[in-house]
Amino acid sequence: MLAIRILIFLLLITKSFAQKTSIKFESQGKTEVLTSKNPFQKFIGEWTLKNDKWTQNWGDKTEIITIPNHHTISKQINTSNSILSIIDGPEPNGHIFWSYNPVTKKVGHLSSFGVVRAGFGEGSVSKNGDVTLKITFEGEPQNTYRIYKYKWMSKDAYFMKSVQYNSENVPTGLFYQGTFVRKQKEVNEVLKNRIKEIMGILDNNVISVEEQLQVYSENIVHMAPGQETIRGKARLGDYLKKQRQFGISKMQHKIVDFEEYDDIVIMQGEVVGSYHPKNKTPVVEFRTKNLFLFEYENTGLKIKKVIYNSSPPNDK
C-alpha cells in the first residue's frame, strides 16, 4: 500500500504533466550526472507509436489496429534509479513507474491504466537498456501473468511486446505489441543541443587539446584551408597543439542547418572569430564556412569528417 500511495503522490505533483511536457522538482543541479547513471536513460523523452500501428490478441483473433495520437512522456525524477512515464491519447490512459535496485539489480514495476488495470511486478534491465518484466494485473484471470520485453531498435525507437502466460507458465495466446518512436520535434531539438555542446567544446580555448579530442572519432578526417588532409585523432592532436604554440583562437561556431540520416548527421555551419598571436603581432579577424559529418558511436555522437574554408565578409 505504501508504494501505491507514493505513486499517487507522484501523480498529484505532475498534474497535466503529459499535456505540458514539464515536471518540476529539485535535483540540486545534478540532472545530467543522474541521467548518465540512470539504467533507463534511453527511455527519457517523448514517444509515439510508429505509423500509429498496434498488434493485439485479446482472445478472439490477432488484429492490427490504428491508434492515432498516442503520447508517452518518460521523465527521470530526482534519482539515478527511477523513471516515471505518463501515457495519454486514446483511452485508457495511464502511468508506469520503474525503480532500479542497484544492490539486487532488479527493476520494480508499478502501473495503472483505466479503472482497474493495476499492474505490479519486477524484472531486469540490460547494459543496452533492454527491459524484461514479469507483471500481474488486476482484471486478468487469476494466477496468470505477463512477460514484457522492451528491446531497443535504435536510439530513437524501441519495440515492446507483452505475452500472457497461465499458471503453468504456458503462453495463452493473448499478446499485444508495438514499436515506439521518439517524437520528431524532440529528436531535432535533442540533436541540435548535442551539436551545440560539441561546437562549444571546439570553441573553448581554455580546456586541453586532449579534452577537445574527445568529441572526434578515432578515424577523423580534418580538411583545413591551405593544409594537408589530417587523418586520425593522434595526428589531429599534434596539429591542434602546434596551433596553440603560436597563438589562441577566439571563435564561435554557429549551426546553419543539419540533417540526420540513420547513424550519421550532416551539419552546415559557420565560424566567426579572431586569432591572437603570441608574438603580439596584430590580431587577425576571420570568418569561415564549414561542413561537418557526425557519426553515432558507442560513446555517442562524434565528429567523423570536417571541411572548412574562408568566407568573404558578406557571404550568407
Side-chain angles (χ1 to χ4, degrees):
M1 289 300 295
L2 177 59
I4 296 296
R5 290 174 182 172
I6 292 174
L7 186 55
I8 291 173
F9 170 73
L10 289 172
L11 294 174
L12 290 175
I13 67 173
T14 58
K15 185 178 181 182
S16 299
F17 160 65
Q19 288 75 16
K20 294 183 179 179
T21 70
S22 66
I23 178 171
K24 296 184 182 297
F25 55 88
E26 182 55 64
S27 62
Q28 307 298 326
K30 298 179 180 179
T31 300
E32 291 185 7
V33 174
L34 294 176
T35 299
S36 67
K37 297 179 179 179
N38 196 319
F40 311 120
Q41 62 180 274
K42 284 187 174 181
F43 290 95
I44 296 172
E46 294 188 55
W47 305 89
T48 190
L49 270 174
K50 183 178 181 180
N51 300 324
D52 297 334
K53 298 301 181 184
W54 184 252
T55 304
Q56 63 183 24
N57 188 320
W58 287 95
D60 296 327
K61 62 179 181 178
T62 297
E63 56 182 349
I64 300 175
I65 64 174
T66 299
I67 303 180
N69 303 318
H70 172 91
H71 188 196
T72 293
I73 299 178
S74 297
K75 283 280 188 177
Q76 174 178 270
I77 308 177
N78 53 1
T79 78
S80 62
N81 295 316
S82 61
I83 192 169
L84 175 65
S85 298
I86 306 294
I87 298 92
D88 67 356
E91 295 284 356
N93 294 330
H95 49 266
I96 299 170
F97 180 71
W98 287 346
S99 178
Y100 177 73
N101 186 325
V103 177
T104 64
K105 311 298 184 185
K106 291 183 178 180
V107 176
H109 169 104
L110 286 174
S111 62
S112 179
F113 285 82
V115 179
V116 298
R117 192 167 173 76
F120 173 82
E122 67 176 23
S124 61
V125 56
S126 72
K127 291 182 179 180
N128 185 51
D130 299 334
V131 174
T132 301
L133 299 164
K134 180 180 180 180
I135 304 173
T136 57
F137 285 97
E138 288 291 341
E140 293 203 343
Q142 189 174 6
N143 297 325
T144 64
Y145 61 90
R146 284 181 175 266
I147 297 297
Y148 279 74
K149 292 187 177 181
Y150 295 77
K151 183 174 179 59
W152 286 97
M153 314 302 292
S154 71
K155 63 183 180 61
D156 294 317
Y158 65 87
F159 176 74
M160 187 278 288
K161 184 171 185 176
S162 167
V163 177
Q164 188 189 61
Y165 289 77
N166 62 24
S167 59
E168 297 178 348
N169 303 312
V170 176
T172 64
L174 276 61
F175 75 95
Y176 45 80
Q177 65 185 39
T179 298
F180 296 82
V181 293
R182 200 180 297 275
K183 292 179 72 69
Q184 189 59 44
K185 180 180 178 181
E186 186 199 24
V187 170
N188 292 340
E189 193 63 27
V190 169
L191 179 55
K192 185 176 183 180
N193 288 338
R194 179 53 185 149
I195 294 174
K196 283 183 176 180
E197 290 174 1
I198 293 174
M199 296 298 103
I201 292 173
L202 298 185
D203 293 339
N204 192 332
N205 55 29
V206 177
I207 63 176
S208 67
V209 169
E210 285 73 20
E211 289 176 287
Q212 286 187 327
L213 288 174
Q214 292 180 12
V215 302
Y216 291 97
S217 172
E218 286 293 337
N219 54 353
I220 173 67
V221 176
H222 185 276
M223 292 171 279
Q227 303 290 330
E228 292 184 359
T229 299
I230 298 172
R231 299 181 185 275
K233 188 185 288 189
R235 288 189 59 195
L236 178 60
D238 294 338
Y239 171 77
L240 296 177
K241 289 176 182 177
K242 187 174 181 180
Q243 277 190 326
R244 291 195 181 190
Q245 291 177 359
F246 298 100
I248 295 176
S249 292
K250 297 181 179 180
M251 58 186 178
Q252 182 179 12
H253 282 76
K254 296 181 180 179
I255 301 172
V256 176
D257 192 18
F258 66 90
E259 297 180 28
E260 185 175 25
Y261 303 92
D262 295 327
D263 289 334
I264 66 170
V265 178
I266 298 175
M267 186 204 83
Q268 175 192 351
E270 63 179 13
V271 175
V272 176
S274 56
Y275 183 71
H276 301 254
K278 288 186 177 180
N279 61 7
K280 297 185 179 180
T281 55
V283 172
V284 179
E285 304 289 336
F286 64 86
R287 184 168 178 226
T288 65
K289 50 191 173 184
N290 52 58
L291 192 67
F292 281 80
L293 173 65
F294 301 87
E295 190 171 67
Y296 287 101
E297 300 181 354
N298 292 335
T299 53
L301 194 65
K302 301 293 181 182
I303 302 172
K304 183 71 175 292
K305 295 182 180 181
V306 57
I307 181 172
Y308 63 95
N309 210 339
S310 299
S311 293
N314 61 350
D315 182 25
K316 299 297 183 181

